[in-house]
Amino acid sequence: MDLSRTLAGLGTALLATALLTGPAHAAPNHAAPAGSGPAATPSTRDFGNGAERNDIAAVASGTAALYSAKAGAQGTGLGTDQAGSGWKPRHKGYPRQTALPVYPVNPEDRSIKLGLVPYHEIAPKLNALQKVSNRVSAEVVGKSAGGRDLYLVTVTAPESAAEAARQDRWRGLIEDDPRAAKRDRALKSGYKTPVWINANIHGNEWEGTDGALRVIERLATATDAATKSFLGRSRVYVTVTNNPDGRIAGTRANGAGFDINRDHATSSQPESRAVRDVVIGTQPFVMLDEHGYTGTTLIEPATPPHGQNYEYDLYIKHALPNAEGMEAAIQKLGYAETTRADIPFRDYAPGDWDDWPPIFTPMYAIYQGAIGHTVEIPLQVNNAAYTSLPVEELRRRSAVNTDVAAATIEAALTYADTNRTGLLAGQIEQFRRGWAGEPSPTIPDGFVPGFGPEDRYSTEFPRAYVIPQGTPAAARLVNHLVAHDIRVTRARHSFALNGRRYAAGTYLVDMHQPKRGLANVLLEAGRDISDLVPQMYDISGWSHRLLWGAPVDISRTAAPRVASSPVTRAAPTGSVEAPRGRDLSLTLRDGNDVRAVNELLNLGVKVRQTGASTVVVPAEARGEAASVAKTLGVRFTAARGPEGAPISPPVIAGAVAADELFALQEMGFPVRTVSTASLNAGSVDLSGVDTLIVSSGLSYAALNPAARAVVDGFLARGGGVVTRGATGAAFNAAARVLPATAVAGRGDANGVVTVSNEGSVVGAGSLPNSFVYSPLWFVGSGFVGPGFVGPGFTVEQRYGADPLVAGHWLPTEAGINGPEQAAGQAAVISGATAGGGRAVLFGTEPLFRAHPKGLYAQFARALFWSAS
């Protein structure tokens, strides 16, 4: 075996960052065939939890704040994921042409330097093509975080309204009644093959857009009979740039600082919601997601671990030959840099380039019935290369990359057209298995070349999930599921299941449904895969059932026996349940509860706090409470017990990651962003700040004397502190906030963990599960000083006795800093600082990528407590 191949991709990156202590163990049937080794360095990619999570402090922008504020204004609170509110195909014939708005010329667009199409030229190009070709239809399917248009182009032969309606009926039949679709001879011969191309999801990976535009133009204007015939039996859908904010700015992230290609299970960003709606509305057989830059062109399918909810036999039988067809196409380009491609399934070791989580666009598309591929074009033109290489070399590279993107798209179109019968049968079969509730079949070794035991992942689908109604978390989860085309019904009357009685209105997710894989990958607990692969690129554990705060029960074998109605949107949950004239109580269990408090404070309501998790609203503010209850779905009850202490809107400064800033704004917290650089520049005044959050981009050790004096003065006067992660722990140690030392697990360790809740601040009423990435735990440091009593901190949350529920967490070396060592240790602590302030230190990730909605309130309670 050629070990230079087995350490490609992530293995190389992790070793370089000292996250691994030994070599990856490769499976023989994923080794490269003899004589086919790479001519250059194998493909590489960045570590999944990169600098943006710990080293870069987000900067508040009007766009981000406005976008987040709209979340609450739209009546959904956390997130804007409303069922039925997204893009849907129009019911009319083709072409469906729209005069796209044209944006002003922007000379700062970073694509210009590379000789590529700047964003402001895309709409004029598409408008011109629509004028000269009745094969091209362009429309806007959404707005980016920065407010820019997201374009969808459809290329197909003209269709009358009746012909288009028939295509729509057939598409619906494939999903809704796959048995009937399989028997329908007219469908088999007349259904147009749908292919979806997604380009430029990472803004500074530009050339997918240019390659796609080239293919669109060729299909639009070609006069040969073959192209005309192809478009008569195909529809080609192209989201031309999925990230216009990043394309213009030359950033991987969108305008809100999010990596869109990590958001498909969460749907926090408008760009990911737009392409979700596109894949649902078009139901493609094949999709490509064009990326860069890996040194050697890389084309999925990926290595194990494979998503255990896939119908993997239906996927790999097409994914591998399609990838090899794309490899052949780039070889024909004749460049020295395109003599071969890396196909991870064929060429890499397990864990080096996996398809485990549903956060990536192609992996998400698999659950929607597509054969999904990431394509990584080869030659780097972003980041350091963008500023260090001569323009001529950059443009040469971009020209090669554009050719590669176009070649892979053309090859995929050819494969889809040539194999349309098998692809159609596969999509029908995927949905049929779901409706039938059949187990996924066991795939034999050699099913495709290289398939072996290390590729065999499966799960046992439950019969149903049951979601009791009545909380904003339940409504949020149900709306999320429905928006992802997962079928949810609502019980018309009360019923019993597995010895428990459920009320009328309870939500049901019957797992005998076409997209059961997607339903299960979002709702199941997941799996501990630590012993199966040596490393993982990105998150390995997630669970909306365990982390989103909604009560969800599992029925393993019994189907609910109750009449139910389909849900298009969750029922309202807000209420004021107290006699008039009584003060009102609100418990902070959910991010919407937190947002309600912040909105009431902003309205001037005199809110009082009776404990870390409960607030009281005076009876005279009943109208304001009723308004936020209706908007945010929160529940006020009659107040009992002590009157409590008045609270004011907390003034928060934060050196935080972009995702944390977004989550804080979702909860209604204004944040004054700070960083090492801004403090050293003297542009930050902490004198009016109640609490300083430190999680990314602030190093106490790197502060100049004046900046350090500002921070020391803040701490000396009793300012509150909340930290998260390694950056926060380093700040705590250097500034001597609490006498605690952080112990770090392996940097790539991540997943869903069990916790025990002990403290009254963060622990009070918190979920029994949490999320970690690069986990920390805290032990006494031994240093003491004025204001410290006993050990100097209170344990709010501990890791469970066997902490990892799902994910990947190995020790740094045998018996060191693994989950066994973390068991029972302090995951979150609170305490008094030497200056008389309050501090909370998180070793968990309660705001990670705006995903674990059920953990938000923990962080908010820490803010209110530390600011008081």
Side-chain angles (χ1 to χ4, degrees), residues 43 69 79 102 111-112 150 203 209 221 243 339 354 381 462 506 579 605 638 662 677 704 736 770 831:
S43 303
V102 175
S111 60
I112 295 172
L150 303 173
T209 292
T221 59
N243 185 359
T339 56
D354 65 274
V381 295
T506 296
V605 174
F662 182 89
N704 62 33
R736 299 172 70 87
S770 192

Side-chain angles (χ1 to χ4, degrees), residues 4 11 17 58 181 352 363 367 374 387 393-394 408 439 451 458 493 522 525 530 579 586 803 839:
S4 69
T17 53
D352 270 8
M363 281 64 261
Y367 292 111
T374 297
T387 55
E393 173 60 11
L394 288 172
T408 56
F451 187 94
S458 62
H493 49 79
L522 297 181
S530 305
L586 178 65

Side-chain angles (χ1 to χ4, degrees), residues 702-723:
L703 296 176
N704 62 33
R708 190 171 295 185
V710 170
V711 172
D712 290 343
F714 168 80
L715 296 173
R717 69 168 173 82
V721 176
V722 175
T723 76

Side-chain angles (χ1 to χ4, degrees), residues 68-95:
S68 186
K70 287 180 178 178
Q74 293 173 353
T76 59
L78 305 190
T80 56
D81 201 11
Q82 292 196 51
S85 64
W87 173 85
K88 287 182 173 60
R90 291 176 288 169
H91 296 292
K92 57 184 296 187
Y94 281 97

Side-chain angles (χ1 to χ4, degrees), residues 493-865:
H493 49 79
S494 64
F495 64 98
L497 180 66
N498 299 324
R500 177 177 172 181
R501 196 81 193 167
Y502 292 93
T506 296
Y507 299 107
L508 307 172
V509 183
D510 188 331
M511 290 297 286
H512 286 194
Q513 63 170 291
K515 296 177 181 178
R516 65 169 179 183
L518 181 58
N520 208 48
V521 78
L522 297 181
L523 292 174
E524 71 175 352
R527 181 175 178 181
D528 179 355
I529 57 172
S530 305
D531 293 335
L532 301 177
V533 291
Q535 75 276 321
M536 289 288 287
Y537 168 53
D538 211 284
I539 65 166
S540 311
W542 60 92
S543 175
H544 295 58
R545 176 169 62 86
L546 299 180
L547 297 178
W548 275 39
V552 183
D553 294 332
I554 307 172
S555 181
R556 294 292 177 190
T557 58
R561 294 180 177 273
V562 61
S564 61
S565 302
V567 173
T568 58
R569 186 174 180 180
T573 60
S575 62
V576 177
E577 301 171 12
R580 291 191 176 276
R582 289 284 300 274
D583 287 351
L584 308 175
S585 177
L586 178 65
T587 302
L588 306 184
R589 296 280 190 265
D590 185 84
N592 277 21
D593 298 323
V594 176
R595 184 167 189 123
V597 171
N598 281 323
E599 292 196 6
L600 291 171
L601 288 171
N602 290 336
L603 290 171
V605 174
K606 299 184 184 305
V607 178
R608 307 187 303 275
Q609 193 164 14
T610 60
S613 62
T614 306
V615 299
V616 173
V617 176
E620 57 268 24
R622 185 185 183 96
E624 291 89 338
S627 177
V628 298
K630 180 178 179 181
T631 302
L632 298 171
V634 301
R635 176 174 174 259
F636 291 89
T637 58
R640 293 178 174 84
E643 206 173 85
I647 59 173
S648 302
V651 179
I652 298 169
V656 296
D659 56 344
E660 293 171 313
L661 178 62
F662 182 89
L664 290 165
Q665 290 172 336
E666 279 191 299
M667 290 187 286
F669 289 109
V671 180
R672 302 178 184 179
T673 55
V674 301
S675 65
T676 303
S678 64
L679 283 162
N680 282 342
S683 58
V684 174
D685 180 9
L686 297 180
S687 61
V689 169
D690 297 316
T691 291
L692 173 65
I693 310 173
V694 181
S695 62
S696 188
L698 201 168
S699 168
Y700 183 87
L703 296 176
N704 62 33
R708 190 171 295 185
V710 170
V711 172
D712 290 343
F714 168 80
L715 296 173
R717 69 168 173 82
V721 176
V722 175
T723 76
R724 187 273 307 164
T727 297
F731 179 87
N732 175 71
R736 299 172 70 87
V737 179
L738 291 183
T741 296
V743 180
R746 206 170 89 161
D748 64 338
N750 71 87
V752 181
V753 295
T754 60
V755 292
S756 61
N757 295 299
E758 300 180 9
S760 61
V761 180
V762 170
S766 291
L767 299 178
N769 295 100
S770 192
F771 182 80
V772 295
Y773 207 132
S774 305
L776 302 177
W777 55 96
F778 300 98
V779 296
S781 67
F783 80 75
V784 295
F788 292 126
V789 179
F793 60 80
T794 297
V795 177
E796 293 285 338
Q797 232 175 44
R798 294 185 188 274
Y799 290 111
D802 184 13
L804 189 63
V805 175
H808 190 274
W809 183 352
L810 291 173
T812 53
E813 54 185 281
I816 298 178
N817 297 352
E820 291 184 4
Q821 289 71 47
Q825 298 291 338
V828 183
I829 62 173
S830 65
T833 69
R838 293 171 167 180
V840 179
L841 278 55
F842 284 87
T844 58
E845 288 273 2
L847 306 181
F848 185 82
R849 296 179 186 165
H851 176 71
K853 309 294 188 186
L855 309 183
Y856 276 26
Q858 299 178 17
F859 204 86
R861 291 198 298 269
L863 289 177
F864 282 127
W865 180 77

Side-chain angles (χ1 to χ4, degrees), residues 238-473:
V238 183
T239 36
V240 180
T241 169
N242 194 189
N243 185 359
D245 300 347
R247 184 176 187 83
I248 292 169
T251 59
R252 180 183 180 93
N254 71 348
F258 274 70
D259 185 333
I260 307 165
N261 203 39
R262 304 293 181 272
D263 193 49
H264 289 291
T266 308
S267 301
S268 72
Q269 299 303 297
E271 297 91 344
S272 65
R273 292 195 295 274
V275 295
R276 173 201 64 195
D277 296 340
V278 167
V279 71
I280 291 170
T282 62
Q283 207 167 292
F285 291 171
V286 172
M287 77 82 54
L288 303 186
D289 202 26
E290 294 281 347
H291 288 255
Y293 307 96
T294 47
T296 298
T297 301
L298 181 144
I299 307 169
E300 291 175 342
T303 71
H306 306 302
Q308 63 186 14
N309 289 280
Y310 298 146
E311 303 298 331
Y312 195 72
D313 60 318
L314 303 177
Y315 170 74
I316 194 61
K317 69 186 291 185
H318 289 292
L320 183 57
N322 190 23
E324 290 175 333
M326 287 186 268
E327 179 183 42
I330 69 165
Q331 289 172 328
K332 291 177 183 178
L333 295 174
Y335 296 113
E337 299 95 336
T338 62
T339 56
R340 56 172 303 280
D342 284 343
I343 299 176
F345 176 89
R346 182 190 70 187
D347 301 332
Y348 288 178
D352 270 8
W353 194 287
D354 65 274
D355 57 19
W356 178 250
I359 59 175
F360 310 122
T361 317
M363 281 64 261
Y364 177 78
I366 295 172
Y367 292 111
Q368 297 287 355
I371 308 300
H373 301 261
T374 297
V375 175
E376 298 273 356
I377 54 182
L379 303 180
Q380 185 178 8
V381 295
N382 64 0
N383 300 333
Y386 188 92
T387 55
S388 64
L389 292 177
V391 171
E392 293 77 13
E393 173 60 11
L394 288 172
R395 293 192 172 191
R396 185 195 72 82
R397 292 185 177 197
S398 281
V400 173
N401 289 337
T402 301
D403 287 349
V404 170
T408 56
I409 294 168
E410 294 278 14
L413 296 180
T414 298
Y415 183 89
D417 185 44
T418 305
N419 294 276
R420 66 173 303 277
T421 300
L423 290 164
L424 170 62
Q427 192 176 81
I428 289 173
E429 174 63 9
Q430 176 172 334
F431 295 151
R432 186 202 66 78
R433 289 178 190 174
W435 280 116
E438 291 182 4
S440 299
T442 300
I443 306 174
D445 290 354
F447 179 75
V448 297
F451 187 94
E454 74 282 3
D455 293 300
R456 198 168 289 118
Y457 285 78
S458 62
T459 192
E460 185 175 328
F461 295 103
R463 186 60 182 83
Y465 289 98
V466 183
I467 307 173
Q469 67 158 342
T471 64

